[in-house]
Amino acid sequence: MKKIITVIGSYNRDMVFQTPYFPRPGETITARNFEMFSGGKGANQAVAASRLGGDVFFITKMGNDELENKSKDKFSKDGIRVNYILQDSDLPSGTAVIMVNDNGQNCIVITPGANDNLLSSDIDACSHAIEKASFVLMQLEIPYNTVKHALDISYKMKKKVILNPAPTVPLEDDIYQKLYLITPNQTEATLLTGIEVENAKSASKAADIFLKKGVQNVIITLGENGAYFKNNEEQFLVPIQEVEVKDTTGAGDIFNGALVVALSEGKNWRQAVEFANSASSIGVSRLGAQSSAPYRNEISI
Ligand code: RIB
């Protein structure tokens, strides 16, 4: 039987503008293309995990209109267990305005909407999904107190909790002590540790700070330089395959979704990071975040 993965996090509507470059203050530019996608770090990670073969529960809160019902149907088609997707009757879904330039880089502005209403009481109401899980994967696009509460419950139930600290806020020491794994990117690792993370050497220093605070395992993603792993027994850098980059939005989400699937299948750390790198490099070669998440048959390892 497959190990269950429970993803707790945000759902957004992504409005993606492909622009030649990012506008300067006061400048108006015309987009080459506009598309709307289902997004949000939580949803992207849940979709990536499910497409890659994970058995996934997704706990989130979205608005309540036709578009959301369609997204829920799509999640279901992607194999996600949708019983814990909550809908808020007052607030609209979170929305992200995303600009992607010709180099595949992005700028994102979000308004949280219903994500802000995913409360500790909702987590209690969905605790069955945590009880069933072996791995719980969270990000920081829902209220901090909700993340803390979900972490407390999961920790008490002896679940392996993975925190992708995005978007970053300062974290209390108590959080670090309950984490099986933290997966910041280099900017997030810099903000959280004060170490300027640029390469494997500085990532190692930053990882030491996380380990000292009580996290059991650390993975710092380094963009085109790959991903760096460290725990108290081993450390290594896994380089990433070179691909033609179209859109880096959601690369970290696909990485996290793929990683948790690999861990749930019992792969070792190196194999899990290789699998996650491979999935995210497919993701960056396509437009959109969730829409670019690959299926299992696209990955050769
Ligand atoms: O990580 C990418 C995601 O960040 C987008 O889908 C957008 O919704 C924002 O949450």
Side-chain angles (χ1 to χ4, degrees):
M1 214 172 66
K2 278 189 193 172
K3 288 190 173 160
I4 291 181
I5 298 161
T6 293
V7 180
I8 306 176
S10 56
Y11 163 84
N12 288 335
R13 299 167 172 188
D14 286 357
M15 307 206 172
V16 183
F17 297 80
Q18 275 184 288
T19 57
Y21 59 92
F22 299 138
R24 283 159 294 203
E27 185 182 12
T28 302
I29 60 171
T30 303
R32 296 194 197 285
N33 179 44
F34 170 77
E35 276 187 72
M36 228 168 107
F37 297 104
S38 160
K41 295 184 195 303
N44 298 343
Q45 295 185 15
V47 167
S50 190
R51 285 187 185 169
L52 290 168
D55 187 352
V56 179
F57 274 109
F58 180 33
I59 303 177
T60 194
K61 194 172 263 187
M62 48 169 58
N64 194 358
D65 68 23
E66 203 38 42
L67 200 81
E68 273 63 51
N69 294 331
K70 278 193 191 144
S71 292
K72 218 169 150 180
D73 281 352
K74 273 200 205 148
F75 290 147
S76 202
K77 284 195 187 116
D78 266 321
I80 295 175
R81 299 178 190 232
V82 294
N83 350 21
Y84 297 105
I85 296 186
L86 311 174
Q87 290 185 278
D88 196 289
S89 38
D90 299 326
L91 291 176
S93 288
T95 303
V97 173
I98 302 177
M99 265 183 287
V100 179
N101 71 12
D102 279 351
N103 297 325
Q105 296 164 311
N106 63 62
C107 279
I108 306 182
V109 181
I110 57 170
T111 173
N115 293 309
D116 256 359
N117 258 354
L118 183 65
L119 304 175
S120 299
S121 52
D122 295 315
I123 302 299
D124 289 341
C126 299
S127 64
H128 175 74
I130 299 179
E131 221 172 278
K132 286 278 191 187
S134 297
F135 291 87
V136 174
L137 173 61
M138 293 193 280
Q139 323 72 33
L140 296 170
E141 252 181 4
I142 56 172
Y144 182 73
N145 283 338
T146 307
V147 172
K148 262 178 75 175
H149 184 69
L151 176 60
D152 284 344
I153 298 186
S154 309
Y155 185 75
K156 275 192 199 123
M157 293 183 189
K158 299 192 173 6
K159 307 300 174 185
K160 291 180 170 164
V161 181
I162 301 171
L163 179 66
N164 173 226
T168 297
V169 293
L171 300 173
E172 289 154 72
D173 283 353
D174 182 52
I175 294 215
Y176 290 111
Q177 285 152 20
K178 294 176 180 154
L179 293 179
Y180 174 65
L181 169 67
I182 194 165
T183 60
N185 64 21
Q186 63 192 88
T187 310
E188 291 149 3
T190 298
L191 289 168
L192 289 171
T193 63
I195 305 278
E196 197 61 48
V197 177
E198 286 165 337
N199 49 31
K201 197 169 168 212
S202 44
S204 168
K205 283 191 190 148
D208 284 341
I209 293 181
F210 291 125
L211 293 173
K212 222 167 152 199
K213 283 182 185 272
V215 181
Q216 292 175 50
N217 302 285
V218 180
I219 296 176
I220 301 178
T221 53
L222 300 168
E224 62 195 12
N225 295 320
Y228 177 83
F229 172 85
K230 188 166 193 176
N231 66 11
N232 287 326
E233 279 95 48
E234 55 176 333
Q235 57 178 299
F236 51 82
L237 174 76
V238 179
I240 202 158
Q241 303 99 299
E242 260 188 47
V243 286
E244 202 180 313
V245 175
K246 188 155 186 199
D247 179 5
T248 54
T249 316
D253 298 332
I254 296 173
F255 181 94
N256 278 276
L259 184 84
V260 70
V261 170
L263 295 174
S264 76
E265 291 175 356
K267 291 193 179 1
N268 66 31
W269 285 111
R270 188 180 286 276
Q271 292 165 334
V273 177
E274 280 169 359
F275 184 77
N277 267 353
S278 170
S280 75
S281 57
I282 294 176
V284 299
S285 66
R286 304 170 178 169
L287 183 66
Q290 208 171 101
S291 55
S292 70
Y295 291 86
R296 185 68 177 233
N297 60 9
E298 296 179 83
I299 298 193
S300 47
I301 48 173

